[in-house]
Amino acid sequence: QVRLVESGGGQVQAGDSLRLSCESSGRRFSSYAMGWFRQAPGKEREFVAAFAWSGGTPLYGDSVKGRFTISRDNAKDAVYLQMNDLQPVDTAVYYCAGGISPRSDRRIADNFDYWGQGTQVTVSS
């Protein structure tokens, strides 16, 4: 059974930082796409950041460029999201995603095959 497990969410103040982690089990993702999406109440799931493949240049959503950094540890089949200068608009459930099927655009949620259960990030002003 493939599992992606996120951790590191929490409640912070505006301007603070958080680091999210996602570890996989049940299959290797070291050669495949891994990324992060988020979903705020009443809104669609939004692309945050992703690696299209194991050695690719990271992709970022426009709203997080310059503040968030995605990284991965292929030996651990893990992906991380360093979030700096958090703002209330960043409040959402953050989901880790893994993609093994060949897809051209990893900014689209439907192009990922596996999902974690999500971790809540709440930013207060």
Side-chain angles (χ1 to χ4, degrees):
Q1 181 181 3
V2 178
R3 293 187 66 203
L4 298 175
V5 180
E6 303 97 336
S7 61
Q11 185 167 353
V12 297
Q13 299 286 324
D16 285 350
S17 299
L18 278 176
R19 185 175 186 254
L20 304 183
S21 299
C22 171
E23 296 191 356
S24 63
S25 61
R27 76 155 297 127
R28 298 300 308 276
F29 282 96
S30 57
S31 298
Y32 299 106
M34 295 192 80
W36 293 93
F37 288 75
R38 67 186 182 185
Q39 190 164 19
K43 295 188 176 181
E44 294 186 353
R45 194 163 293 192
E46 177 190 12
F47 171 71
V48 176
F51 288 101
W53 57 287
S54 63
T57 300
L59 308 171
Y60 291 97
D62 289 341
S63 61
V64 305
K65 283 181 182 177
R67 299 188 299 124
F68 291 11
T69 302
I70 188 173
S71 60
R72 69 188 299 171
D73 184 336
N74 289 332
K76 296 182 178 179
D77 286 312
V79 65
Y80 309 96
L81 186 68
Q82 177 67 42
M83 306 185 294
N84 296 331
D85 190 25
L86 283 160
Q87 300 299 320
V89 294
D90 297 314
T91 295
V93 177
Y94 284 71
Y95 295 92
C96 173
I100 62 172
S101 303
R103 295 288 186 268
S104 60
D105 192 348
R106 293 298 185 183
R107 294 167 295 183
I108 299 174
D110 286 347
N111 287 345
F112 282 85
D113 305 288
Y114 300 99
W115 293 88
Q117 81 289 349
T119 186
Q120 177 71 46
V121 172
T122 302
V123 185
S124 56
S125 57

